[in-house]
Amino acid sequence: MIRLKDVEKEYDNGTYALRGISLTIEDGEFVFLVGPSGSGKSTLIKLLTGEILPSSGRVIVNGFSLTKISDRQIPLLRRSIGVIFQDFRLIGKKTVYENLSFAMRAVGSSPRTIRTRIPYVLKLVGLEEKADQYPHELSGGEQQRVAIARALVNNPMTIIADEPTGNLDPARSLEIMRLLNRINELGTTVVIVTHERDLVNRFRKRVVLLENGLITGDGIGYDAK
Amino acid sequence: MKHDFGYFIREGVGNLFSHGFMSFAAIGITVACLLIMGTFSLVAYNAEMLLRTLESEYEILAFVDDSFDEEQTKKVGEDIAKLPNVKNVVFITREEAMEAFENRSLDDYMRRNILPEMFRDRYAVYVSDLNQVRRTASNIENVKGVGKGNVRVDEDIAGGFIMVRNVAGAVSIALVAILLVVSVFIISNTIRLTTFDRRDEIAIMKMVGATNAFIRWPFVYEGFLLGFLSASIAFGLQWLVYVTVVKSIASADTLQFLRAVPFADIWKPVALSFGGAGIVIGVGGSLTAIRKFLQV
Ligand SMILES: Nc1ncnc2c1ncn2[C@@H]1O[C@H](COP(=O)(O)OP(=O)(O)OP(=O)(O)O)[C@@H](O)[C@H]1O
Ligand SMILES: [Mg+2]
């Protein structure tokens, strides 16, 4: 569960990115976070992953209180979240399989768990054939599916995606959204930041609208606000 | 989470080879630093050992006033023994002194022509610190029954060694400090290069929730390996250099009196110091390299 209460974020240079946000996302929800450029969407995501701290207010993610989290607990919080970015962030000199095993190794998974988990996740994202390819040998959509597989591989409670389709054509974007929808149906909470109104409207899901650091809309469908 | 030694070591070795040339250069410089430190320390050590031998053999002779009777002479010995830096006082009668002299001089003419009167009762004084011979000698001169001009000191024998020991000692302390810093800096920069190469991987590890310790270990092993390899090479070279120098001293006529400690007697502490210094340098270097990297 994600719960924000009166959250404000002022960056060191004085920019007010968030101006008092309260938001609750229950386990198992699928939420689009939309809004114009500079409205504070990425700021909100960074608060959830513990990359930055709120200036005031309370942030609770999967049982961790981000306002008083200790350095030792940050890794545990991050293991409960799978993060996906617009630019994929794969390791170029590792194969698809190695990119996934790298993420599992990093949290101390045993070789046996790694061997059984990776084929399962690759099958889920439809890349079982591509395990031994390098990222540059894949299309953008495929690379993003590897990134999704990596976000899933440690079995997180929540998937958070910051403009996952920003680099993809409409057909690939739809594919990625369908995949994330399917992952949500398997029980993972999914939060997606996106600019693509058409795409959002194809799914009848909860949409949270952020404008100028404030939530100005929250309902089903982009135009429901 | 258990310590995945195999994984960290593999990653560490991988880091080492990903910058083959830098690693090679870092090892070269560290070896040179260790060798310089080692050589100066060994010179200082040998000078110290020689000094100790000299000290135990070195004597100041204090000649006792001829007019003193047995009782007074004894008092002189007691007075000398009370002086600071005096380790031991041995009384030598003029007859003993003459005998010793006769045994040493092979010249028959001289032997026939010396008279006991030429010798005086004397005390051989052994000191604990050669550095202070001069002061001790003048203290002895002030003892009643000895007096000015009746003390013989061989200052020059010791003087050279004291200098060598003091200079080599001071230089090696200064060098150890400076070169340790230099080596740590070199290794730290090598590892900083790998952390820079791996910044994407580090970012991903943090993103998926790796602990700082987990991220750190491969770099610590990389530093450890750099330090350890340097120490091993430096030890081998030091051994070679030492044995070669000792051999050439032994075969040089003028340097016969320099008895160097055989390497076999000191290889253990030398190996330990090299290994210790190498590991301190390597691990210190990697920790300084990754300290900044792990904030956030
Ligand atoms: N590290 C930072 N330091 C200072 N100001 C920042 C920083 N990051 C973001 N901002 C500012 O905070 C505001 C919100 O930025 P944020 O990145 O959250 O917007 P966004 O909604 O993700 O925009 P976009 O859709 O373009 O990605 C912007 O005005 C931005 O300039
Ligand atoms: Mg953004």
Side-chain angles (χ1 to χ4, degrees):
Chain A
M1 195 188 62
I2 296 168
R3 186 191 289 278
L4 289 90
K5 186 101 178 67
D6 302 324
V7 173
E8 296 184 327
K9 176 64 190 178
E10 181 189 1
Y11 282 109
D12 291 339
N13 65 2
T15 309
Y16 257 101
L18 297 176
R19 300 165 183 272
I21 280 187
S22 297
L23 175 70
T24 301
I25 298 171
E26 300 292 343
D27 287 344
E29 267 197 277
F30 186 109
V31 178
F32 285 117
L33 187 58
V34 300
S37 185
S39 55
K41 304 183 296 297
S42 295
T43 302
L44 181 53
I45 297 295
K46 285 180 190 153
L47 283 176
L48 300 182
T49 58
E51 208 177 311
I52 56 176
L53 289 175
S55 309
S56 67
R58 288 169 15 114
V59 180
I60 295 172
V61 177
N62 298 333
F64 295 93
S65 170
L66 278 283
T67 27
K68 45 185 181 215
I69 194 164
S70 68
D71 285 351
R72 294 177 61 86
Q73 275 190 314
I74 292 253
L76 298 179
L77 161 76
R78 292 190 179 154
R79 286 172 204 197
S80 78
I81 308 170
V83 193
I84 301 160
F85 297 97
Q86 179 172 354
D87 56 359
F88 320 139
R89 301 196 189 176
L90 301 174
I91 301 167
K93 46 184 207 295
K94 291 190 192 292
T95 64
V96 168
Y97 189 96
E98 287 163 353
N99 266 281
L100 302 188
S101 64
F102 179 75
M104 293 188 77
R105 259 262 146 75
V107 299
S109 302
S110 70
R112 184 211 294 253
T113 320
I114 293 175
R115 273 198 305 276
T116 55
R117 176 76 179 164
I118 292 178
Y120 168 79
V121 179
L122 281 179
K123 189 152 182 294
L124 188 66
V125 301
L127 287 177
E128 58 269 62
E129 310 281 285
K130 308 279 187 183
D132 297 323
Q133 314 256 49
Y134 288 89
H136 68 87
E137 299 169 332
L138 303 175
S139 72
E142 287 168 337
Q143 289 187 44
Q144 191 58 301
R145 280 190 275 152
V146 177
I148 292 173
R150 183 181 59 198
L152 276 177
V153 84
N154 290 325
N155 211 6
M157 298 168 69
T158 311
I159 294 273
I160 294 177
D162 194 350
E163 305 203 35
T165 61
N167 279 336
L168 304 176
D169 62 54
R172 303 295 139 218
S173 300
L174 186 60
E175 245 174 51
I176 293 295
M177 287 303 178
R178 288 211 172 111
L179 177 58
L180 289 169
N181 191 23
R182 176 152 156 60
I183 288 162
N184 173 243
E185 282 163 1
L186 293 171
T188 310
T189 311
V190 174
V191 180
I192 303 173
V193 170
T194 183
H195 276 305
E196 299 178 62
R197 179 185 291 247
D198 293 345
L199 206 54
V200 171
N201 281 331
R202 290 183 82 119
F203 298 84
R204 294 213 41 84
K205 298 289 186 188
R206 180 177 172 194
V207 178
V208 174
L209 176 64
L210 210 58
E211 282 178 307
N212 202 14
L214 288 168
I215 292 178
T216 54
D218 188 347
I220 302 296
Y222 197 98
D223 303 311
K225 60 183 190 276
Chain B
M1 194 160 75
K2 75 180 208 314
H3 188 83
D4 194 345
F5 180 75
Y7 176 75
F8 294 135
I9 257 302
R10 264 198 313 283
E11 292 286 301
V13 172
N15 286 350
L16 213 71
F17 283 108
S18 72
H19 281 296
F21 179 74
M22 262 309 276
S23 302
F24 179 79
I27 288 175
I29 292 170
T30 310
V31 166
C33 290
L34 284 171
L35 263 182
I36 296 170
M37 293 189 246
T39 302
F40 272 90
S41 308
L42 285 172
V43 168
Y45 176 76
N46 272 290
E48 172 69 25
M49 280 304 145
L50 265 168
L51 269 180
R52 287 209 196 147
T53 323
L54 273 181
E55 253 158 17
S56 65
E57 290 167 2
Y58 188 88
E59 50 183 40
I60 299 173
L61 291 180
F63 300 98
V64 182
D65 191 327
D66 267 340
S67 63
F68 272 37
D69 61 20
E70 207 174 310
E71 194 75 358
Q72 285 169 310
T73 306
K74 210 172 147 204
K75 175 78 170 50
V76 170
E78 285 162 3
D79 286 349
I80 294 175
K82 273 186 233 147
L83 293 171
N85 193 34
V86 171
K87 196 165 67 182
N88 196 12
V89 180
V90 177
F91 182 62
I92 301 168
T93 62
R94 66 184 70 186
E95 289 78 16
E96 284 167 347
M98 190 174 104
E99 224 168 90
F101 182 79
E102 279 178 346
N103 287 340
R104 256 185 291 158
S105 339
L106 299 167
D107 191 326
D108 269 345
Y109 171 82
M110 276 189 69
R111 216 180 274 186
R112 264 182 275 112
N113 287 289
I114 43 173
L115 303 161
E117 291 82 57
M118 292 168 70
F119 292 89
R120 283 155 65 187
D121 288 342
R122 66 197 59 184
Y123 283 102
V125 182
Y126 298 92
V127 296
S128 34
D129 182 3
L130 276 187
N131 262 325
Q132 296 177 37
V133 160
R134 197 187 288 265
R135 190 182 322 153
T136 309
S138 75
N139 282 340
I140 295 172
E141 278 184 336
N142 291 335
V143 169
K144 195 154 164 284
V146 183
K148 280 256 177 290
N150 286 323
V151 172
R152 205 187 74 202
V153 202
D154 294 328
E155 261 170 300
D156 286 342
I157 303 178
F161 284 104
I162 291 175
M163 241 239 316
V164 170
R165 190 237 352 228
N166 289 353
V167 169
V171 168
S172 47
I173 288 170
L175 272 179
V176 165
I178 294 168
L179 295 180
L180 272 182
V181 172
V182 168
S183 321
V184 166
F185 180 76
I186 296 288
I187 294 211
S188 159
N189 268 341
T190 309
I191 291 171
R192 196 162 298 155
L193 220 56
T194 8
T195 60
F196 186 74
D197 262 12
R198 303 208 142 203
R199 63 195 184 285
D200 293 346
E201 291 177 34
I202 292 174
I204 289 164
M205 286 195 270
K206 283 186 182 173
M207 181 181 87
V208 300
T211 60
N212 278 348
F214 182 91
I215 298 172
R216 218 178 269 145
W217 275 114
F219 300 109
V220 173
Y221 278 111
E222 182 187 358
F224 177 88
L225 284 171
L226 283 172
F228 189 75
L229 281 173
S230 305
S232 309
I233 296 170
F235 177 76
L237 288 177
Q238 184 75 77
W239 187 347
L240 213 71
V241 168
Y242 191 89
V243 169
T244 311
V245 170
V246 167
K247 204 179 279 170
S248 60
I249 285 176
S251 57
D253 297 336
T254 48
L255 297 172
Q256 292 284 333
F257 69 101
L258 283 172
R259 278 154 292 156
V261 183
F263 198 74
D265 291 358
I266 47 170
W267 75 269
K268 273 186 199 160
V270 171
L272 274 178
S273 320
F274 273 61
I279 290 164
V280 164
I281 290 168
V283 173
S286 63
L287 289 180
T288 41
I290 58 187
R291 199 188 48 214
K292 258 204 254 142
F293 221 84
L294 288 179
Q295 275 143 23
V296 170

